[in-house]
Structures are given as C-alpha cells and as structure tokens.
Amino acid sequence: FIWSGEIILFAFLSYLFMKYRLHLKGTFSRDIEHEQTQRLKFIALLLKGRVSSKKKKLRMKPFFFTDSNLIFKQRTPINGLIELYLKSFVRNGIQLKLYVQFVAVAVAILVLPFLPITIKIIIWLVLSIFFSIWLKSYFYEVLDSPFVQMFSWKETDRQVAAQKGIFYVMLPGYSLLSLSLGLSSLSIIGTLQILLFGGVMVYMMTNIVVMLT
C-alpha cells in the first residue's frame, strides 16, 4: 500500500507526457494562425514602444480577459512573451485538459488516507519537478513557433519571460496540491506553512528549469 500511490502517480504521469507529445505538435501554430493579424499588431506596437515614445491603444476582442485586451498595462518584450504564453495556454484545449487531469489525479493521490505523510511529501516534491518541466516544454514550444521567430528576442528577455510565465501557470495548480496535502495530513498551521513553502517551491523550480535550458 505504501508504494501504490507512487506507482499510480508514475503511471499516470507517463501517460500524460506521452499524450502531451502526441498532441502538442502543431497546436500552437494553429492557434497562432487563427489570430495572427491581431498578434502581429500587438507585437509591432510592443517592439515599437522600445524605440518610440508615441503610444497607441490596441483594440481587439478579448477572449478570457474581458476587462482588457492586454494582461499587462506596460508593454515590454518580456510582458509580450508572457502574455503570448498565458493566452496560448488557456486557449489550448489540450493543455487545459492535461492541466486539470494532472492536478485532479495528484490531489486524489495526496489525500489517500493510507499513505504516510513522508511518502506524500516526497510525491508532492516530485510533482513540482514534473509540473515545471512540462510547463517549460510548452513555453519553448511557443518560442519556437514560426510566428514568434519572426521577431528578435534578447536571451535575457526570453529567460525572464519563461520564469515568470511558468510561475504564473504553475502556481494555482501547485497551490491546490499543497492545500490538499495540508488538509489531509497536517494541522491548520501546517497547511498554511505548506502553502507558503509550495509557493517558494514553484518559484525555485521555475528558475531552476529555465536556467538548465
């Protein structure tokens, strides 16, 4: 029983990554083609803002972000890359489905009553590695798309955007894992501590995986 949770987790993660690789190719390119005109305008204004003080308002129909067409008020290359990543991720049905499946199964394993707290913590830590590597993989799929390759990006901008973008996507799901671990095995104080440490783990892992690129 002690190792059953880890066996189930490993099998499911293997399944998710195989499914991810089978369906990922071309999904971002199709998403880019669907809104290429709008994004070209956005990137053009983004890059123009670096050499010109003239400001223009970009208007396009919002999808998930109904209050504004832009996530970030300040238009910079880093914010532009992060926004492309975030919007592409939430608009990609395959990515969202994998995200929900990953979190749901991980939560189910972490709340198993017969697993010792030590094993749960090990699983929780291992999940941070899988989570960050997967999200990094999709971020660089975005960077390698023909649309993004049309523009020249500084390596430092790419790295900072990767760290922030992966952090934003990973934090909600991993916080739910931390909360599940805490409520199922720890006290209220312990749950708050594991939530805080979970946020630190997300920050650390996103920086580590990007630096290892």
Side-chain angles (χ1 to χ4, degrees):
F1 285 115
I2 292 179
W3 297 105
S4 61
E6 292 184 75
I7 294 173
I8 294 172
L9 176 62
F10 178 78
F12 181 74
L13 290 175
S14 300
Y15 165 76
L16 281 184
F17 274 98
M18 289 176 62
K19 185 176 180 181
Y20 170 77
R21 295 311 306 169
L22 286 173
H23 293 281
L24 177 61
K25 187 176 181 180
T27 57
F28 179 74
S29 297
R30 289 193 295 270
D31 184 59
I32 286 298
E33 290 174 1
H34 181 67
E35 297 186 5
Q36 185 174 10
T37 301
Q38 290 86 348
R39 290 182 175 179
L40 278 171
K41 292 178 181 179
F42 167 69
I43 295 296
L45 286 177
L46 176 74
L47 299 178
K48 185 177 180 180
R50 302 181 66 185
V51 297
S52 174
S53 59
K54 186 177 181 180
K55 297 183 179 179
K56 296 181 180 180
K57 292 185 178 180
L58 177 63
R59 301 295 299 174
M60 66 180 182
K61 185 178 179 180
F63 194 78
F64 276 89
F65 308 96
T66 56
D67 292 336
S68 173
N69 57 308
L70 298 177
I71 299 177
F72 305 102
K73 292 183 179 180
Q74 185 178 10
R75 294 199 294 268
T76 66
I78 292 175
N79 288 346
L81 283 175
I82 296 173
E83 184 158 332
L84 282 175
Y85 174 65
L86 296 179
K87 287 186 175 181
S88 173
F89 192 92
V90 299
R91 290 169 177 172
N92 189 306
I94 294 176
Q95 298 302 317
L96 283 180
K97 184 177 180 179
L98 288 173
Y99 190 97
V100 172
Q101 289 177 336
F102 183 96
V103 173
V105 172
V107 167
I109 294 174
L110 289 173
V111 299
L112 289 174
F114 56 80
L115 283 182
I117 181 61
T118 303
I119 299 300
K120 289 186 178 183
I121 291 178
I122 292 175
I123 294 175
W124 177 73
L125 293 173
V126 172
L127 284 169
S128 70
I129 301 175
F130 278 96
F131 217 163
S132 57
I133 291 176
W134 162 41
L135 295 178
K136 182 192 94 169
S137 176
Y138 186 69
F139 183 89
Y140 285 99
E141 184 77 14
V142 172
L143 286 186
D144 291 338
S145 68
F147 171 75
V148 178
Q149 289 297 315
M150 292 173 60
F151 305 94
S152 178
W153 307 93
K154 293 182 179 180
E155 184 60 29
T156 53
D157 290 344
R158 289 161 54 100
Q159 289 183 351
V160 173
Q163 291 168 348
K164 291 184 177 181
I166 296 169
F167 176 84
Y168 293 150
V169 177
M170 182 175 170
L171 184 61
Y174 200 71
S175 295
L176 185 57
L177 303 188
S178 303
L179 182 63
S180 301
L181 172 61
L183 293 178
S184 65
S185 305
L186 303 173
S187 64
I188 295 179
I189 299 299
T191 299
L192 294 176
Q193 291 176 335
I194 203 72
L195 275 171
L196 178 60
F197 188 67
V200 174
M201 281 294 299
V202 173
Y203 178 80
M204 290 175 56
M205 289 308 306
T206 53
N207 281 271
I208 291 173
V209 297
V210 170
M211 287 190 297
L212 293 178
T213 302

